[in-house]
Amino acid sequence: MTGDSSAHTTADVDASSHDAAVSNVVLVTVDSLRADAVSPYDADRHSPVIDSLAADGTVFDRAFANGNWTPFSFPSILASEPVFARTGDIGVGESETLAEVLSEADVATGGFNAANGFLTEHWGYPDGFDEFEPFVTSVGSSVYSRYLAAHPTVEAWIQLASSPVRRLGSKLRGDSDDRPFLDASRMFDVEDAATAFVDDTDEPFFLWVHYMDTHTPYVPAPRYIREVSDGIVGTHQMLHAHARTSLGLEVGERTLRELRTLYQATVRQVDASVGRLLDSLDDAGVADDTAVLLAGDHGEEFQEHGHLAHYPKLYDELIHVPLVADVPGLDGGRVDGHVGLDAIPPTVADLLGVDPADEWHGESLVPALRGDAEPSADTPDDSTDQPTKDEAAAGSDPGENSELADDPVVSVTVRGDDVTQQPIPRSLSDGDLFVSARDDDWTYIENVDAGEAELYHRSADPTQQENLALDPDDRAQAVIDRLAPVVDAHAELLRERGEAAEAAAAERGDDGDEVDEDLEARLEALGYK
C-alpha cells in the first residue's frame, strides 16, 4: 500500500457530510455497456434490476468514460486519474487506488473481476484489496485449448448449435437455463465469490464486481435471448451473426440486428446477475445500509462510425455510459450535468466517511446524490470567458483543478495507422494520441499529433455525424476556443509523464514488463491481439 494511513480516517456516520446511513458500498462495473443499452436511458430496453436501482436512486444522464476501452478507462474508475498520468503506463501500480485508501481506513475490501486480463496483478489492480480474484485461469498446453482460448467465437458456434439439445437436457433435469453459453464469462464464479465476501465480512466493506458478459463475443444464455427478442429471432439464428463476423464477411442489416439482439441479451443476463447479488445483500442483512453504484467502463459500437466493438474512437457510442447510484437515504433523481467516471473513487470514499487521496482528479458526487447540487454547471455555448491555454495547462495536473465544478470530461485513446490495427495500441508510443473534451452539449475531439479536430453539437447531432470544426461559425469557434486548451493541456501532461517514464526505463535498461503467455492468450480472446 502507498501513502500515510493516518491521512485517511473513517468518519462516524452521524458526522458525515451527507444524510445517507451507509456502512458499505458495492461498485458494479460492466464491460462494454453503453448508456442506451439499459432501460433508465432507453425505455425500449429490458433491464428491470437496473431500472429498480434507478427508480430508488440517482441516474446521471451525461456520464462519460475517460477512455474507449478497459485499460484506458479503469485508471479513472479505481484510481481517479487519467490513463498514462502516473508513469506513462496503462496500469495503476504506482497510483493511490480507491481500495488502498479504503483499506488504510479499516474498510474491508473485495474485488472480483470476470476474467478481464487488463484488470489483473500485472497492471496493479489487486493493490489494496483484502480479497481479489481476477478469474484469469491457465488456458492449458494443448493446441486445441489454446486455439479456443484465442478464438472464443468458435466455441460460441458449438454452444449455439447445441442449444436445443442443451435446453432439452435442462428441462429433463429440472434445471434453469440461466447459464451463459461460455463459461469464460465467469459470471457465476464472480457471483459466488462476491456473495461469500459479503457473508464472511464484517461491516464496513467495499465490494467491486466487474462483469464481462456484454463484451464480444456476445453468447448469452438462451432464456435472455428470448426475453429481448420478438420471438422470431431464435437462438439458432444467432449462428449467422457469429459466422459472418468471425469470417470477416460484410455486416448487413440482418447481421447487425442479430448482433444487437445478442448484445441486449447479455445486458439482461448481467442485469439478472446483479439482481441475485442484491438478493445476497438482503440475505446477509446489510442491504439497508449498503450503497450500490453501477457503471459501464466504456461503450460499444454497432457501426455508428463504421466498425463493431470498441476500436480507438471517442464518439458517444463508446464514451457515453450508464452511471446509476442507489444510496440509502439519498435520492437525487435524474442529474443532467456532465460527469466523468473519475468521480467514482471520491464518491465511494465520501459515502464511507473516508478522506479522498490528495492526487485524485475527480470530485465526490454526493451533493448530486443528495439532490442539492448538479455536479457540473451549464456553460453557455458562446462563452469566451475561459482560461488561456497556458492557464489551463498550469491547472491540468490531477487534483489541482478539482475546484472547477464545470470542468469538461476528458477522454483518451491511441490509434495506430489503421483504426483496426492489431495489436490494439496500449501505450502512447503505439500511435497518435486522441483526446476529447465534453461538456453538457458539445464534444471536441483532437488528434493532437496530426493537429486534426472534430466538433459535434450533441443536442442537434446526437450520433455525431456533422463535424462543425471543418467550417466553424462564430458559435462553434467559441466552443473550440474553450475546449481546445483543455485537450492540449491534457495531452501535454500525458506526453511529459510518458517521456519521463520512458527515460527512467531506459536508464534502468528495462525493455518493458512482458505479459505472460496465458494472459496474452486471454487478452487475444477479447480481441486484443
Side-chain angles (χ1 to χ4, degrees), residues 294-434:
L294 181 142
D297 69 336
H298 56 78
E300 190 81 334
E301 182 181 353
F302 290 94
Q303 291 194 334
E304 286 89 349
H305 289 89
H307 296 90
L308 299 170
H310 39 278
Y311 286 107
K313 304 177 188 180
L314 295 173
Y315 304 112
D316 266 23
E317 59 267 20
L318 298 184
I319 302 300
H320 186 203
V321 293
L323 178 58
V324 177
D326 184 9
V327 181
L330 301 182
D331 181 2
R334 300 198 76 101
V335 177
D336 289 333
H338 55 277
V339 299
L341 296 187
D342 57 2
I344 289 175
T347 301
V348 172
D350 195 359
L351 288 170
L352 291 172
V354 175
D355 294 334
D358 291 338
E359 60 265 42
W360 283 355
H361 181 65
E363 295 181 42
S364 172
L365 298 175
V366 167
L369 295 174
R370 195 170 50 218
D372 289 351
E374 291 283 322
S376 61
D378 288 338
T379 304
D381 290 342
D382 58 354
S383 172
T384 56
D385 184 17
Q386 299 297 327
T388 66
K389 181 177 180 178
D390 290 340
E391 290 170 339
S396 63
D397 204 21
E400 290 183 359
N401 62 350
S402 60
E403 74 277 9
L404 300 177
D406 58 353
D407 283 350
V409 178
V410 177
S411 307
V412 170
T413 191
V414 176
R415 184 183 301 175
D417 292 336
D418 185 85
V419 70
T420 60
Q421 172 183 304
Q422 294 287 357
I424 295 176
R426 300 183 190 178
S427 72
L428 286 171
S429 61
D430 287 339
D432 288 351
L433 175 63
F434 284 69

Side-chain angles (χ1 to χ4, degrees), residues 144-184:
Y144 175 73
S145 62
R146 297 198 72 80
Y147 177 80
L148 286 184
H151 300 85
T153 305
V154 174
E155 188 171 353
W157 294 349
I158 298 170
Q159 298 277 11
L160 285 165
S162 63
S163 175
V165 175
R166 177 176 157 174
R167 287 175 60 191
L168 178 60
S170 294
K171 287 183 178 180
L172 291 175
R173 293 189 302 271
D175 297 336
S176 69
D177 57 354
D178 287 346
R179 290 270 170 188
F181 285 116
L182 286 182
D183 289 338

Side-chain angles (χ1 to χ4, degrees), residues 1 39 69 83 160 281 311 330 347 405 419 514 523:
M1 296 182 186
S39 44
W69 64 314
V83 66
L160 285 165
L281 298 175
Y311 286 107
L330 301 182
T347 301
V419 70
E514 293 295 325
L523 293 176

